[in-house]
Amino acid sequence: MVSSIDNVRGLTLAISSSAFIGSSFVIKKIGLKKAGDSGVRAGSGGFSYLYEPLWWLGMITMILGEIANFAAYAFAPAVLVTPLGALSIIFSAVLAHFVLKEKLHMFGVVGCILCVVGSVGIVLHAPKEREIDSMKEIWHLATEPGFIVYSCVAVVVVLFLIFWVAERSGHRKMLVYIAICSIMGSLTVISVKAVAIALKLSFSGSNQFIFIQTWFFIFVVIVCCLVQLNYLNKALDSFNTAVVTPVYYVMFTILTIFANMIMYKDSFSRNATQIATQLCGFVTIVAGTFLLHKTRDMGNAPPPPSDEICLDGENERSSHL
């Protein structure tokens, strides 16, 4: 019964988080546009957005969402909390339709509905949270060979993308920025869950901040969040919000669930029916996000006649998606 109540708490926090985070994408995009009009764009390596109040409003909104998300991981398993990030896509797409005039086609609405249906399936078949009594238990899970290998591979891939690929083609290929954010995001979720559990246990009377492992996870959270923030800004400034949001969600969710399966071994505590149902729910969400992606331009103005050649930067960017 306790686990069911905890799942409800985690679900409520996750939905609240999606509302805040989905709104923050749009608010930050407005701030980035205004900052780009008066300075160097974030996609070109500029930081003029730091002087834009709207960007900071978006940041505050995102922080509120992340706090709610942070708290959700203390009560519910990552396999429940992370996929519900799809709801932020709905908030983002709808707000972008009305505020940024990035039109949402009828098929985009169908995509939103698919995201909701998939989320419901995941919620109804979510596993119970694994009972963890101390930070030492989390550290033992994090230092097992499987997760150490995953962490090392993730860090090496991110460094390669940052120092080799992003410098050459990041501004033309959205997946470079998204991959950096997603890989670092999977490590962030692992560390956030560890810190959230430490806080939960500490409030229950068992202080977990006397262990150096807790502070190590806090350090990892800070570093990973800074990297994610930088490259997410580049992605939002360089590409369409309706594209960045769903693709980032899909890649981030897959890697996060994979990392949690390796560390917490969530899949081993469920039967085949639960796993299959949650997999179907996730596939439904993926279908919804890509439907949003594929129909992002259908509601906009029709393209110019075929005898006219367009060489503007927006068309050049879209050709590389």
Side-chain angles (χ1 to χ4, degrees), residues 158-236:
V158 166
L159 291 175
F160 172 73
L161 290 174
I162 290 175
F163 294 107
W164 182 261
V165 182
E167 292 294 327
R168 290 164 172 77
S169 58
H171 64 287
R172 292 183 290 106
K173 297 180 180 179
M174 181 187 66
L175 286 179
V176 175
Y177 293 150
I178 298 300
I180 295 172
C181 293
S182 300
I183 295 172
M184 296 302 285
S186 67
L187 298 178
T188 302
V189 169
I190 292 292
S191 302
V192 162
K193 186 169 180 65
V195 177
I197 291 174
L199 281 170
K200 181 182 176 182
L201 293 173
S202 297
F203 285 132
S204 300
S206 177
N207 186 12
Q208 299 298 306
F209 289 86
I210 60 175
F211 300 113
I212 191 172
Q213 292 94 331
T214 304
W215 296 101
F216 173 79
F217 282 119
I218 292 174
F219 173 77
V220 173
V221 169
I222 293 172
V223 172
C224 290
C225 283
L226 289 175
V227 175
Q228 281 181 266
L229 177 62
N230 183 37
Y231 285 94
L232 182 57
N233 280 332
K234 290 178 181 292
L236 283 172

Side-chain angles (χ1 to χ4, degrees), residues 95-171:
L95 284 175
H97 173 81
F98 290 106
V99 179
L100 299 178
K101 307 304 179 184
E102 296 176 359
K103 300 301 182 181
L104 184 63
H105 190 264
M106 180 183 67
F107 289 128
V109 176
V110 175
C112 290
I113 294 173
L114 287 175
C115 289
V116 173
V117 172
S119 297
V120 171
I122 287 175
V123 169
L124 292 178
H125 297 85
K128 294 181 179 180
E129 174 71 316
R130 176 174 180 161
E131 293 293 335
I132 295 179
D133 300 320
S134 70
M135 178 55 65
K136 289 185 177 180
E137 186 176 348
I138 298 176
W139 185 253
H140 173 72
L141 293 171
T143 52
E144 289 188 350
F147 189 70
I148 290 178
V149 170
Y150 174 82
S151 300
C152 291
V153 170
V155 171
V156 170
V157 171
V158 166
L159 291 175
F160 172 73
L161 290 174
I162 290 175
F163 294 107
W164 182 261
V165 182
E167 292 294 327
R168 290 164 172 77
S169 58
H171 64 287

Side-chain angles (χ1 to χ4, degrees), residues 46-115:
F47 295 94
S48 58
Y49 58 84
L50 294 175
Y51 301 98
E52 176 55 50
L54 273 175
W55 184 85
W56 283 107
L57 177 60
M59 272 301 301
I60 293 171
T61 306
M62 176 171 279
I63 289 171
L64 290 174
E66 293 297 347
I67 290 173
N69 197 48
F70 179 90
Y73 281 110
F75 295 100
V79 73
L80 168 62
V81 176
T82 305
L84 289 180
L87 299 179
S88 67
I89 298 175
I90 298 176
F91 285 103
S92 177
V94 172
L95 284 175
H97 173 81
F98 290 106
V99 179
L100 299 178
K101 307 304 179 184
E102 296 176 359
K103 300 301 182 181
L104 184 63
H105 190 264
M106 180 183 67
F107 289 128
V109 176
V110 175
C112 290
I113 294 173
L114 287 175
C115 289

Side-chain angles (χ1 to χ4, degrees), residues 234-265:
K234 290 178 181 292
L236 283 172
D237 190 52
S238 302
F239 305 98
N240 192 311
T241 307
V243 182
V244 172
T245 307
V247 175
Y248 174 52
Y249 162 76
V250 172
M251 191 177 294
F252 167 73
T253 303
I254 290 174
L255 290 174
T256 298
I257 291 177
F258 183 63
N260 274 271
M261 286 175 60
I262 294 174
M263 180 168 169
Y264 291 102
K265 301 174 176 63

